[in-house]
């Protein structure tokens, strides 16, 4: 479920050899996946609670930023599964328009209420281009794929079918209580 809004940031790059970066773009994927499986959900498949922020997604390092972006992807999937957007919005800056738009969309149509079905869960395959801005914000991009899924406005509406797609999510993070939160995001279909 791609949403679009542009955020402009004046960013300066942190080089790949930066000791703070921990080589976030070349580190192996985490051993515990933070995204949901890619099959269609049934009520018994739906999560019983939101994912917890991993310890390595806390703090303000570049490595924590990469792990946060992966964790945020799991929050997007949890919201699409359940319609519960409280954890997603709690990990978002209050002014993040696309975060609020995504939350509103999945509150209305989600797997738990039967209005979202198929391979809708996003799979985040890569976090790249992490750069720290002079204002303390951080920007970057992530590669995201989704499968074929359908969504409906109401239980009696005709389903709208979406084909499998790959997106680049451009994002900006800001700090809040000593950890990263989503400041803004937009997804561009590839």
């Amino acid at each position: 479920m791609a949403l679009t809004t542009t955020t402009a940031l004046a960013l300066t790059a942190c080089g790949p050899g930066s000791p703070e970066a921990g080589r976030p773009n070349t580190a192996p994927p985490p051993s515990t996946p933070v995204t949901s499986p890619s099959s269609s959900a049934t009520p018994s498949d739906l999560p019983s609670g939101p994912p917890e922020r991993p310890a390595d997604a806390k703090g303000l390092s570049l490595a924590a930023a990469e792990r946060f972006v992966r964790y945020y992807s799991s929050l997007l999937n949890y919201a699409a599964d359940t319609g519960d957007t409280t954890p997603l919005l709690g990990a978002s800056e209050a002014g993040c328009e696309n975060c609020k738009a995504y939350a509103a969309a999945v509150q209305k149509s989600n797997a738990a209420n039967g209005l979202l079905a198929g391979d809708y869960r996003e799979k985040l395959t890569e976090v790249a281009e992490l750069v720290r801005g002079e204002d303390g914000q951080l920007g970057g991009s992530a590669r995201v794929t989704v499968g074929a899924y359908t969504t409906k406005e109401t239980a009696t509406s005709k389903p709208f079918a979406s084909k499998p797609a790959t997106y680049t999510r451009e994002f900006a993070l800001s700090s809040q209580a000593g950890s990263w939160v989503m400041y803004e995001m937009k997804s561009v279909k590839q």
Side-chain angles (χ1 to χ4, degrees):
M1 300 177 77
L3 303 170
T4 59
T5 289
T6 308
T7 299
L9 290 175
L11 299 172
T12 57
C14 181
S18 167
E20 181 183 2
R23 300 187 164 269
N25 296 336
T26 59
S31 58
T32 306
V34 294
T35 56
S36 301
S38 62
S39 61
S40 180
T42 63
S44 64
D45 292 337
L46 297 177
S48 60
E52 290 188 34
R53 184 187 287 243
D56 58 354
K58 296 176 183 174
L60 297 174
S61 69
L62 291 179
E66 178 185 6
R67 186 68 170 137
F68 170 77
V69 170
R70 293 179 184 283
Y71 163 68
Y72 197 83
S73 179
S74 70
L75 292 175
L76 292 167
N77 287 334
Y78 171 77
D81 282 342
T82 66
D84 177 7
T85 60
T86 301
L88 172 71
L89 293 174
S92 305
E93 183 79 33
C96 180
E97 295 302 320
N98 276 340
C99 304
K100 291 186 281 189
Y102 185 89
V106 297
Q107 282 176 328
K108 185 175 182 180
S109 298
N110 55 71
N113 68 14
L115 301 181
L116 180 62
D119 192 10
Y120 59 87
R121 291 179 181 124
E122 70 175 44
K123 280 84 55 202
L124 192 147
T125 59
E126 176 186 24
V127 177
E129 303 177 32
L130 294 174
V131 291
R132 193 178 298 272
E134 292 179 19
D135 59 0
Q137 291 181 334
L138 188 136
S141 65
R143 181 173 298 271
V144 177
T145 61
V146 294
Y149 65 93
T150 59
T151 187
K152 300 192 295 186
E153 292 271 332
T154 67
T156 58
S157 299
K158 182 179 176 181
F160 175 79
S162 295
K163 295 179 181 179
T166 299
Y167 297 89
T168 296
R169 174 174 299 129
E170 298 170 356
F171 59 84
L173 307 179
S174 63
S175 65
Q176 190 175 83
S179 289
W180 296 113
V181 295
M182 188 61 69
Y183 179 78
E184 192 55 80
M185 62 179 181
K186 81 171 187 177
S187 295
V188 179
K189 192 171 182 178
Q190 300 301 295

